[in-house]
Amino acid sequence: MIELKGSEKLPVLIKKAHIRVNTGLSTLSQVLSWFAELYEPRIPTSVWIRCQLALAEGFTNAVRHAHQGKAPDLPVDIEVAVFTEYLEIKIWDSGDPFDLEQKIKDMSGQRDIYAPGGRGLQLINDIADSISYERMPDRRNCLSIVKNYSPSLNDQK
């Protein structure tokens, strides 16, 4: 049992949704439309837009890197959970696993703002309050992106 002090409250799940799409950058618009439908007014717009960018980068990385050369019908699963004080995005891919922390360390000294790609993980890392990438028992990988937020003033009435 978790013991809370004073007026502390456990975050409450507001909504949770899942989508499965085929590998392909052409499905990014479908993913972003689905994500837009999950918007909650309690989440500040600036936070929501950054989460949308993190989702787009995570999905694009799954398609371009994890699923490179694989069947176009190989699914990418995405789950979004909106809590009272944070949002969690999970993206599952079927590629080879890699060491996320090491990759981010390796990239930190290589910022080429004119490069056509290669900044997705760094952007996700900059946006998120926490990220993880782990191999699951079903041999898929799960990228988890968590972004904390303070509810909008409209929600505090």
Side-chain angles (χ1 to χ4, degrees), residues 2-63:
I2 298 174
E3 189 174 320
L4 301 175
K5 298 177 184 176
S7 63
E8 290 182 47
K9 298 177 187 175
L10 284 174
V12 175
L13 178 65
I14 297 170
K15 66 171 66 170
K16 189 177 197 177
H18 172 266
I19 188 172
R20 173 176 275 184
V21 295
N22 288 340
T23 290
L25 293 178
S26 62
T27 58
L28 178 59
S29 60
Q30 178 185 353
V31 169
L32 293 178
S33 293
W34 168 80
F35 184 70
E37 293 174 14
L38 300 175
Y39 177 69
E40 281 290 320
R42 69 183 294 109
I43 302 171
T45 305
S46 61
V47 170
W48 186 258
I49 290 169
R50 287 190 297 252
C51 289
Q52 182 183 36
L53 176 58
L55 170 60
E57 291 295 338
F59 175 76
T60 300
N61 281 349
V63 170

Side-chain angles (χ1 to χ4, degrees), residues 21-130:
V21 295
N22 288 340
T23 290
L25 293 178
S26 62
T27 58
L28 178 59
S29 60
Q30 178 185 353
V31 169
L32 293 178
S33 293
W34 168 80
F35 184 70
E37 293 174 14
L38 300 175
Y39 177 69
E40 281 290 320
R42 69 183 294 109
I43 302 171
T45 305
S46 61
V47 170
W48 186 258
I49 290 169
R50 287 190 297 252
C51 289
Q52 182 183 36
L53 176 58
L55 170 60
E57 291 295 338
F59 175 76
T60 300
N61 281 349
V63 170
R64 284 189 177 155
H65 302 292
H67 289 184
Q68 182 179 22
K70 297 190 184 301
D73 62 347
L74 186 63
V76 176
D77 285 292
I78 302 169
E79 179 182 279
V80 172
V82 178
F83 292 85
T84 51
E85 296 174 5
Y86 68 93
L87 184 126
E88 182 176 31
I89 299 168
K90 291 184 176 182
I91 303 169
W92 286 270
D93 68 62
S94 297
D96 294 329
F98 69 97
D99 184 338
L100 175 68
E101 289 181 31
Q102 188 60 50
K103 185 75 169 170
I104 290 172
K105 282 180 191 175
D106 293 346
M107 294 173 66
S108 65
Q110 306 173 12
R111 288 211 175 190
D112 178 359
I113 60 170
Y114 300 108
R119 294 183 302 272
L121 283 178
Q122 193 62 55
L123 271 171
I124 294 169
N125 190 48
D126 291 347
I127 291 168
D129 290 303
S130 72

